[in-house]
Amino acid sequence: MPTASLLDVSLTISVIGTGYLGVVHAACMAELGHTVIAVDSDPAKIESLSRGVAPMFEPGLDELLGKVLPSGRLRFTTDYAQVVGADVHFICVGTPQRRGENAADTSYVFAAAQSLAPHLSQEALVVGKSTVPVGTAARLRDRLQAGAPEGVTARLAWNPEFLREGFAIQDTVAPNRFVYGVDGPSAEADVALLDEVYAGPLASGTPRLVCDFPTAELVKVAANAFLATKISFINAMAEVCEAAGADVVQLADALGHDDRIGRKFLNAGLGFGGGCLPKDIRAFMARACELGADEALEFLREIDAINVRRRSRMVDLAREQCGGTLLGKRVAVLGAAFKPDSDDIRDSPALDVAQAARTEGAVVTVYDPKAMEAARRVHPDLGYADSVEEACIDADVVLHLTEWKQFRQIDPAALATIVENPTVIDGRNTLDPALWRSAGWVYRALGRPTV
Ligand code: UGA
């Protein structure tokens, strides 16, 4: 891919917020040849990032930081005043689910705009990347305008991100599309400036769509709602497969050959978790309700319910395999992160299941290649082991809950000598049933026949 520097475009960029999105975006913009200053209010985070230590595990990120920091093109600060003079300011702060509600908490986005506004110049463009309820951009521009220096007209564009954890760098420097939401008299100039920011990926042929603010905001939540729907669809099929004695993996393979449907995101199992899909569909329903379009998204309630049901089904299966009660049973849990190649445990289906088994009196031991520290912090009452083998010592049942590659490489014959009962429940449908069964295991899975 040609970099921006090769294309001779180098801008000064500020990135507000150094969470998942912000850190990756800042490092990737520096990699594209721009000069980047990233701002966060957390001094500890800024100090560690300045040393090249990312606050989370993301494949390739430490290496990328190690490459761009010495170039001097990327700096981290807690001081907003240092963003003065940037051509483009990206707002990359989080929008978590509000406590006790379905709606998204946009307070960090508005706080970022408030802090940024006094430092705006006439030429600077503010670009929102956070996932927000439709209608936020228009309100945000008013907020920026209210705080901007006298004589400055605030410029705002909406440019949602579609990055997946585990592939965040690739999804930032080579996304499958750019969406620019623009509005007002500066719209044309805003598009041109964003084209300069993304000159490298655009030169490689990344499609770019220009639309208005509400459409750009909706693209992001609609995409996540669709992905969640696809996962819950196949998990609903898994429920039917369980009742009918059919195999959901073969069903998904057969469906996926129809390229109108496609095989991606049809992996049945424990369902979706993480910091995005669950909270985004809930916030989307809440916003539709505010807009009087609640009926349109009523189906997302069922998508959410199917998803949550898979977790309790997993606990039911574990109980069943333990003779009807989990009380005093040893349960080995393989996986804690909400997905592989991540140490993120936000709304992790694996930890939900582990915690539910613990609540029923099981002695639960968890192993995850990357998410142990985070899991220990949030679930101190669960047991933890340093390896798959250690987690499985004397286990009555082994639960495979996050599909790390390492777990696919387990030798079931060797593991059978460690456990009390060779019974595995595959919550992600990625272990090889024939291999496990031939090594003497009882293999159960969500949506697959018993034998
Ligand atoms: C998701 C979207 O995929 C990104 O496009 C979006 O940018 C991001 O949210 C966001 O809003 O920031 P991410 O949360 O990293 O990305 O994770 P996904 O890869 O979408 O997986 C979400 C969950 O669905 C995981 O728990 C995963 O195990 C589960 N999943 C995924 C399934 O259960 N089955 C599948 O077939 C696929």
Side-chain angles (χ1 to χ4, degrees):
M1 182 193 64
T3 64
S5 53
L6 287 177
L7 296 164
D8 213 19
V9 181
S10 177
L11 300 167
T12 305
I13 285 174
S14 90
V15 174
I16 316 297
T18 60
Y20 222 104
L21 167 61
V23 174
V24 173
H25 194 67
C28 289
M29 291 303 102
E31 169 70 353
L32 289 179
H34 304 301
T35 300
V36 182
I37 176 105
V39 192
D40 199 289
S41 53
D42 180 346
K45 217 183 206 184
I46 290 301
E47 193 271 326
S48 111
L49 278 166
S50 303
R51 285 186 287 111
V53 180
M56 74 288 186
F57 168 72
E58 174 63 33
L61 183 58
D62 284 342
E63 293 79 356
L64 183 57
L65 287 172
K67 184 176 162 200
V68 290
L69 278 169
S71 74
R73 288 200 308 275
L74 174 62
R75 285 181 305 121
F76 293 95
T77 182
T78 53
D79 179 11
Y80 265 94
Q82 292 198 31
V83 307
V84 171
D87 303 295
V88 181
H89 304 279
F90 282 101
I91 297 185
C92 294
V93 295
T95 51
Q97 189 171 338
R98 271 190 223 153
R99 209 175 273 275
E101 282 179 54
N102 272 348
D105 176 359
T106 55
S107 62
Y108 300 106
V109 175
F110 282 94
Q114 188 127 350
S115 304
L116 186 59
H119 306 294
L120 290 179
S121 64
Q122 189 57 48
E123 297 73 34
L125 174 65
V126 179
V127 180
K129 285 197 85 66
S130 309
T131 302
V132 292
V134 59
T136 303
R139 285 172 53 224
L140 199 70
R141 190 175 46 191
D142 293 346
R143 182 70 65 91
L144 285 165
Q145 190 57 64
E150 211 164 311
V152 169
T153 307
R155 287 169 61 184
L156 178 71
W158 212 260
N159 170 222
E161 58 80 22
F162 302 99
L163 65 83
R164 296 160 297 168
E165 295 189 15
F167 300 89
I169 294 171
Q170 176 194 322
D171 287 351
T172 305
V173 296
N176 46 27
R177 78 290 210 189
F178 289 111
V179 174
Y180 303 168
V182 291
D183 186 56
S186 65
E188 222 170 282
D190 299 343
V191 170
L193 191 47
L194 277 168
D195 280 352
E196 286 187 33
V197 172
Y198 297 127
L202 286 171
S204 303
T206 303
R208 168 271 242 176
L209 294 94
V210 178
C211 54
D212 54 27
F213 281 171
T215 306
E217 295 167 309
L218 275 174
V219 172
K220 174 58 195 278
V221 282
N224 277 2
F226 189 82
L227 294 172
T229 301
K230 236 184 144 180
I231 299 168
S232 277
F233 171 81
I234 201 65
N235 281 334
M237 294 306 110
E239 289 188 14
V240 179
C241 284
E242 278 163 27
D247 186 326
V248 74
V249 177
Q250 289 178 349
L251 179 82
D253 288 343
L255 288 175
H257 281 294
D258 182 335
D259 61 12
R260 293 170 305 172
I261 297 174
R263 180 63 177 83
K264 289 181 184 159
F265 273 67
L266 279 189
N267 296 319
L270 253 194
F272 57 83
C276 303
L277 261 44
K279 71 117 177 143
D280 285 353
I281 61 168
R282 291 173 193 154
F284 198 14
M285 282 186 273
R287 184 62 184 138
C289 200
E290 283 169 6
L291 292 169
D294 35 341
E295 251 183 80
L297 297 190
E298 196 51 49
F299 74 97
L300 286 179
R301 218 171 287 286
E302 194 50 38
I303 297 306
D304 205 357
I306 293 166
N307 192 50
V308 173
R309 247 185 351 248
R310 293 285 78 189
R311 301 179 189 190
S312 29
R313 173 71 182 138
M314 188 70 198
V315 181
D316 291 348
L317 265 183
R319 194 187 311 105
E320 198 180 301
Q321 292 303 317
C322 287
T325 177
L326 284 167
L327 189 65
K329 301 291 180 179
R330 301 189 71 87
V331 176
V333 167
L334 304 185
F338 85 101
K339 67 189 269 190
D341 294 318
S342 167
D343 62 358
D344 194 342
I345 58 155
R346 285 176 293 172
D347 199 357
S348 162
L351 285 174
D352 240 18
V353 168
Q355 193 63 55
R358 166 92 182 91
T359 306
E360 291 195 23
V363 179
V364 179
T365 310
V366 180
Y367 170 72
D368 187 283
K370 291 285 176 198
M372 299 290 277
E373 207 183 304
R376 263 200 194 97
R377 229 182 4 254
V378 180
H379 296 273
D381 53 339
L382 297 174
Y384 294 92
D386 291 331
S387 65
V388 170
E389 291 73 21
E390 194 189 327
C392 292
I393 293 172
D394 294 337
D396 292 295
V397 65
V398 175
L399 309 183
H400 173 242
L401 305 184
T402 310
E403 67 276 34
W404 287 92
K405 191 171 165 209
Q406 179 188 337
F407 299 153
R408 277 203 299 282
Q409 292 162 346
I410 291 172
D411 173 0
L415 201 66
T417 63
I418 293 172
V419 296
E420 174 71 24
N421 272 324
T423 298
V424 63
I425 309 179
D426 187 359
R428 291 298 178 181
N429 281 318
T430 52
L431 303 178
D432 178 348
L435 185 72
W436 284 72
R437 284 183 178 134
S438 67
W441 288 76
V442 171
Y443 172 93
R444 296 290 307 270
L446 298 169
R448 306 190 84 174
T450 315
V451 191

